[in-house]
Amino acid sequence: MKKKQKRRMLINAFRSTGAAKVIAVYFLWFFIAAVVIWILEPDINSYGDSLWFCFATATSIGYGDQVAVTLVGRIIAVLISVYSIGVIAIFTAVITSFFTDLARWRANDSARAFLDQLKHLPELSPEELKSLSEKVKEFENKMK
């Protein structure tokens, strides 16, 4: 399978599951939350500090160098944390699904090639027959 096909398969996995929209909305929420935190929190003096606070909250690192002290800031921090956990779970599930589909595709492709050789058994050369026999033995060993 070519890189381009793999990339397209991964992109389709994100689109078909709706994960792409969830992640896009998450980033939109993340940057809007940073603006609100910057405006409301008295100890956060720049948008960069606000982004850092949101990142530390989202990743559950929580260094403590930036802390929310207002009720709205704390609510936003909780929402960032919960939303981040969900997005990370969705991202992980889609990637896992991608690799499962890729393995299934490779297995199906190998099976199709094997069946094609069996269809044309009388036409195969002695070397091709030997190779086919070795593949069958290898398959049997894997099944044990």
Side-chain angles (χ1 to χ4, degrees):
M1 178 177 265
K2 296 178 182 177
K3 283 185 179 183
K4 192 174 184 178
Q5 287 173 312
K6 288 179 187 178
R7 191 177 322 122
R8 185 171 290 132
M9 199 172 170
L10 182 60
I11 290 168
N12 286 340
F14 274 97
R15 285 184 181 154
S16 66
T17 60
K21 289 180 184 175
V22 171
I23 292 170
V25 170
Y26 170 76
F27 280 112
L28 180 65
W29 158 249
F30 187 90
F31 291 110
I32 290 172
V35 169
V36 173
I37 292 291
W38 178 33
I39 292 169
L40 294 179
E41 289 299 321
D43 295 336
I44 297 178
N45 301 317
S46 71
Y47 185 65
D49 286 346
S50 181
L51 283 172
W52 176 250
F53 168 79
C54 290
F55 174 78
T57 302
T59 58
S60 71
I61 295 171
Y63 287 121
D65 54 345
Q66 305 287 338
V67 241
V69 293
T70 66
L71 178 63
V72 174
R74 289 179 178 183
I75 290 170
I76 289 174
V78 168
L79 293 174
I80 288 172
S81 297
V82 172
Y83 200 176
S84 297
I85 291 167
V87 166
I88 290 168
I90 289 169
F91 184 80
T92 304
V94 170
I95 295 296
T96 302
S97 174
F98 165 72
F99 282 111
T100 303
D101 289 347
L102 185 61
R104 188 178 304 121
W105 185 88
R106 285 181 178 160
N108 289 342
D109 194 47
S110 295
R112 279 190 292 274
F114 183 73
L115 289 173
D116 185 57
Q117 284 183 324
L118 290 177
K119 281 183 198 174
H120 301 94
L121 201 56
E123 302 163 14
L124 297 178
S125 69
E127 294 83 21
E128 291 172 319
L129 287 171
K130 185 177 179 182
S131 173
L132 186 59
S133 175
E134 289 173 3
K135 286 179 184 177
V136 170
K137 288 175 186 174
E138 188 179 308
F139 178 74
E140 280 181 328
N141 288 335
K142 285 182 181 179
M143 296 303 288
K144 289 180 182 180

